[in-house]
Amino acid sequence: MKAVMIRTLVVVLLCTTGIPAYSQFDGSGILGAEAGTVSGYGTVVIEKTPAVMRMQVDLLSKASSLEEALAGLKDRIEASRAQLAAFGVDKASIKLGEPKLSAGKTDRQQQMEALLAERMRSLNEGRAQKKASATTPVTVSVQLTAEWKLKAKTIEELLLSTQPLQKKIKDADLGGLKAASQLSPEEQEIMEEMGEMSMYGNDGEAKPGEPVFSYASPISQEEEDKALGEAFQKAKSQAARLAKAAGHQLGKLSSISSNAGSVGQESDYGYSSVYYSVSRRLQAAENSDDSQAEGVSILPGPVKYQVTVTAGFVLKEK
């Protein structure tokens, strides 16, 4: 996957005309009067039906020691493989990351917990020292990704084929969220004394151990090349209109660039929602190399891949 692909296609420096060759590119096609150049902006959106449903989940294991936690993680990995096979996963698509230490909580939960612990120390130094000497549970995790191939042709078929499956996966608790979220006696005492048990409710973040689903479809090089050509023509047309409005004509192409990536409506759910935070996580995880381009969305429906071209031209007198 790749969220942003920036590709410089052509850069022509005008060294013989005496006309400055830099362009003002801000996406609005503003005429650069002093530079003698004008820029245009064109966008094409490729829309496709999802070809796969992808799942990402952190498998969690919590124990009193690191050795026990790692042993429990191995058992959870094997159990997850068996459960996924029963759910019809594409076995070849299952991938595992490297084990790592994990808090087993969202960032906000960790911040709240640190704040509560500090307040406890200020209220009762002796009890805080007792808690400091107690054994702190260790949580380890490993990221698992898997895919299911989709054959749905309509949104109705997509919903009917994916939503019941997602519910089964969530109910199966692949990541071990229930066990990892159980509080130790020390954690329980802090929460009870401070009356802040609600902090473990939904705070708008996707919790460790909670499966995250997305929909994807590959974008072929032919599709992307076609979109690039169409976007360039739109950019050139816009630049020509601006040049005409200024009483000029388009001259040589001075510069051109493009970027491409998935677009969606996840932000419509609000910047504090799980939808938005998961969308940003997916964008950050997309590859920046020359791997297969993809349209990706966390919402069931068509995936959209946007190609944008910005082109600059030298102005000529009529």
Side-chain angles (χ1 to χ4, degrees):
M1 295 187 296
K2 52 184 177 181
V4 177
M5 175 189 65
I6 300 178
R7 185 182 303 166
T8 301
L9 303 176
V10 179
V11 177
V12 180
L13 299 179
L14 306 179
C15 300
T16 61
T17 63
I19 302 175
Y22 63 87
S23 299
Q24 299 181 19
F25 286 171
D26 61 356
S28 61
I30 296 177
L31 172 65
E34 293 182 359
T37 63
V38 65
S39 63
Y41 174 91
T43 297
V44 172
V45 176
I46 302 172
E47 185 172 300
K48 302 185 70 175
T49 301
V52 298
M53 182 182 75
R54 186 171 292 138
M55 181 197 70
Q56 176 181 302
V57 63
D58 288 337
L59 305 183
L60 305 173
S61 175
K62 185 177 181 180
S64 58
S65 69
L66 179 60
E67 291 76 11
E68 292 176 345
L70 288 172
L73 187 61
K74 290 182 180 180
D75 293 339
R76 182 158 298 282
I77 290 173
E78 293 305 313
S80 297
R81 287 183 180 276
Q83 289 174 306
L84 289 173
F87 293 143
V89 72
D90 178 3
K91 293 182 179 180
S93 72
I94 298 177
K95 295 182 177 59
L96 290 167
E98 296 295 331
K100 62 181 181 180
L101 290 171
S102 172
K105 305 178 182 70
T106 66
D107 291 342
R108 177 169 174 76
Q109 288 172 348
Q110 294 178 62
Q111 293 169 2
M112 288 294 295
E113 207 167 66
L115 177 62
L116 292 174
E118 180 64 30
R119 291 171 64 184
M120 284 295 295
R121 283 192 291 271
S122 65
L123 290 174
N124 193 324
E125 186 66 25
R127 301 189 74 178
Q129 292 176 354
K130 179 181 178 181
K131 290 181 177 58
S133 63
T135 301
T136 302
V138 179
T139 301
V140 293
S141 67
V142 63
Q143 187 178 92
L144 180 149
T145 59
E147 293 181 355
W148 286 260
K149 295 179 180 179
L150 301 175
K151 299 180 180 179
K153 302 299 182 184
T154 66
I155 299 300
E156 289 79 7
E157 291 178 356
L158 181 66
L159 292 172
L160 289 171
S161 62
T162 61
Q163 299 309 296
L165 176 59
Q166 289 184 19
K167 186 179 185 305
K168 290 179 181 179
I169 294 172
K170 291 178 180 178
D171 291 344
D173 191 23
L174 293 176
L177 178 61
K178 294 178 181 178
S181 61
Q182 291 181 354
L183 303 180
S184 66
E186 292 77 20
E187 293 170 328
Q188 182 74 35
E189 185 177 354
I190 291 177
M191 294 302 103
E192 289 177 351
E193 293 192 23
M194 301 309 300
E196 294 286 350
M197 290 299 291
S198 61
M199 66 172 282
Y200 283 88
N202 184 7
D203 55 12
E205 294 183 66
K207 298 175 176 59
E210 191 173 74
V212 172
F213 299 95
S214 60
Y215 305 85
S217 184
I219 306 298
S220 68
Q221 184 174 338
E222 291 75 16
E223 290 174 314
E224 193 167 9
D225 287 346
K226 180 181 178 183
L228 281 169
E230 293 175 357
F232 171 73
Q233 291 303 321
K234 289 184 177 182
K236 183 177 181 181
S237 176
Q238 185 188 65
R241 290 176 60 197
L242 288 167
K244 181 179 179 181
H248 291 72
Q249 292 181 335
L250 287 187
K252 294 181 180 179
L253 180 71
S254 62
S255 63
I256 184 171
S257 64
S258 75
N259 64 62
S262 300
V263 293
Q265 294 76 42
E266 286 82 1
S267 61
D268 293 344
Y269 284 79
Y271 292 106
S272 62
S273 71
V274 172
Y275 284 113
Y276 184 76
S277 63
V278 170
S279 175
R280 299 302 299 172
R281 186 196 303 179
L282 288 173
Q283 291 178 14
E286 290 182 357
N287 297 330
S288 58
D289 54 22
D290 292 330
S291 60
Q292 175 70 63
E294 288 185 321
V296 182
S297 175
I298 61 171
L299 302 180
V303 295
K304 298 178 181 180
Y305 187 83
Q306 179 173 288
V307 177
T308 300
V309 170
T310 304
F313 301 85
V314 177
L315 288 171
K316 295 193 307 182
E317 297 291 340
K318 285 187 176 180

